[in-house]
Amino acid sequence: MRVRNRKGASELLESNPQYVVLEPATAKGKWRDLFGNDNPIHIEVGSGKGGFITGMAKLHPDINYIGIDIQKTVLSYALDKVLAADVPNIKLLWVDGSDLTDYFEAGEIAQLYLNFSDPWPKKKHEKRRLTYKTFLDTFKEILPEHGQIHFKTDNRGLFEYSLVSFSNYGMTLKGVWLDLHASDYEGNVMTEYEAKFSSKGQVIYRVEAEF
């Protein structure tokens, strides 16, 4: 996602510490204390403008959610949605998805979402794809045994690559949807990109993969 810098984004994030964790390394191993309960913690890596993470938090108040994005401006738009929804079970982090072991202990995260990640279609950029094996190494470390990644995309090339990457890594594909919106899957929460793409008739792909 490429967006113009938003004036005042830093100030907005800094002025809402109840939702934005500005020094996440200090929270490593203490996330349940920050949320004030022992509910499972789910994270979305690349949370964009927050439509998915906010929708999930509203539907599942018994789960704690953490939205992660590397772009400060994008995260500020996600904060807008969180503030409007007034959901207490969300935290936002402005960090890189490749550094998650700096912020979470082994097994501290119950489930992980990857939604409409940048496909990085050129072969020379393969290592930047969030389903590349080095990212899977990181995700596996912070998830528990049998932890799952739930992945959605409109990009068939990335989807096929990810299925192979998950399988080669030794993960189990628990469910594969080749046309999510035409399926009987219940409880889907759309991202901003998903709503945009599906309105144009594009197929949405989904997979649940387990370590």
Side-chain angles (χ1 to χ4, degrees):
M1 180 183 293
R2 296 289 182 266
V3 296
R4 292 183 178 180
N5 288 334
R6 181 185 186 184
K7 185 177 180 180
S10 295
E11 291 77 9
L12 179 62
L13 296 176
E14 292 168 3
S15 63
N16 287 279
Q18 75 276 29
Y19 291 120
V20 183
V21 181
L22 296 172
E23 296 183 3
T26 64
K28 184 175 180 177
K30 303 175 183 176
W31 285 100
R32 284 181 172 79
D33 294 336
L34 259 65
F35 280 106
N37 58 58
D38 292 325
N39 292 339
I41 300 171
H42 293 190
I43 66 174
E44 182 187 16
V45 180
S47 55
K49 294 183 178 180
F52 175 82
I53 203 80
T54 303
M56 291 293 284
K58 291 170 68 176
L59 280 178
H60 306 285
D62 56 341
I63 297 175
N64 297 321
Y65 291 90
I66 299 176
I68 295 167
D69 208 280
I70 195 172
Q71 296 189 65
K72 184 182 294 186
T73 289
V74 171
L75 200 67
S76 74
Y77 288 122
L79 178 57
D80 288 341
K81 287 187 173 64
V82 173
L83 289 169
D86 191 25
V87 282
N89 54 326
I90 290 185
K91 303 293 182 189
L92 299 175
L93 306 185
W94 175 44
V95 298
D96 191 329
S98 64
D99 300 329
L100 297 183
T101 53
D102 292 340
Y103 315 117
F104 303 107
E105 282 191 344
E108 193 169 18
I109 300 305
Q111 193 162 286
L112 187 147
Y113 304 95
L114 300 174
N115 293 317
F116 299 87
S117 309
D118 193 325
W120 294 106
K122 294 182 179 179
K123 180 64 176 178
K124 65 179 181 179
H125 293 148
E126 179 186 6
K127 293 182 179 180
R128 299 183 185 182
R129 299 170 191 162
L130 291 182
T131 52
Y132 183 68
K133 59 185 178 181
T134 55
F135 281 101
L136 297 182
D137 286 339
T138 297
F139 301 155
K140 183 179 181 181
E141 188 166 342
I142 65 173
L143 287 167
E145 185 178 5
H146 304 303
Q148 292 189 358
I149 294 175
H150 291 191
F151 174 79
K152 284 196 292 187
T153 183
D154 67 303
N155 188 290
R156 180 170 178 173
L158 178 62
F159 187 69
E160 292 174 346
Y161 170 87
S162 300
L163 293 179
V164 173
S165 183
F166 292 148
S167 297
N168 287 346
Y169 199 85
M171 299 178 72
T172 302
L173 303 182
K174 305 295 288 187
V176 177
W177 291 262
L178 300 179
D179 189 346
L180 177 62
H181 293 182
S183 74
D184 59 359
Y185 179 82
E186 297 181 357
N188 183 52
V189 174
M190 289 200 290
T191 75
E192 291 86 356
Y193 271 144
E194 184 174 356
K196 176 182 177 181
F197 295 146
S198 62
S199 70
K200 297 180 179 180
Q202 292 179 239
V203 172
I204 305 300
Y205 305 96
R206 186 178 188 274
V207 59
E208 295 178 1
E210 182 178 287
F211 284 105

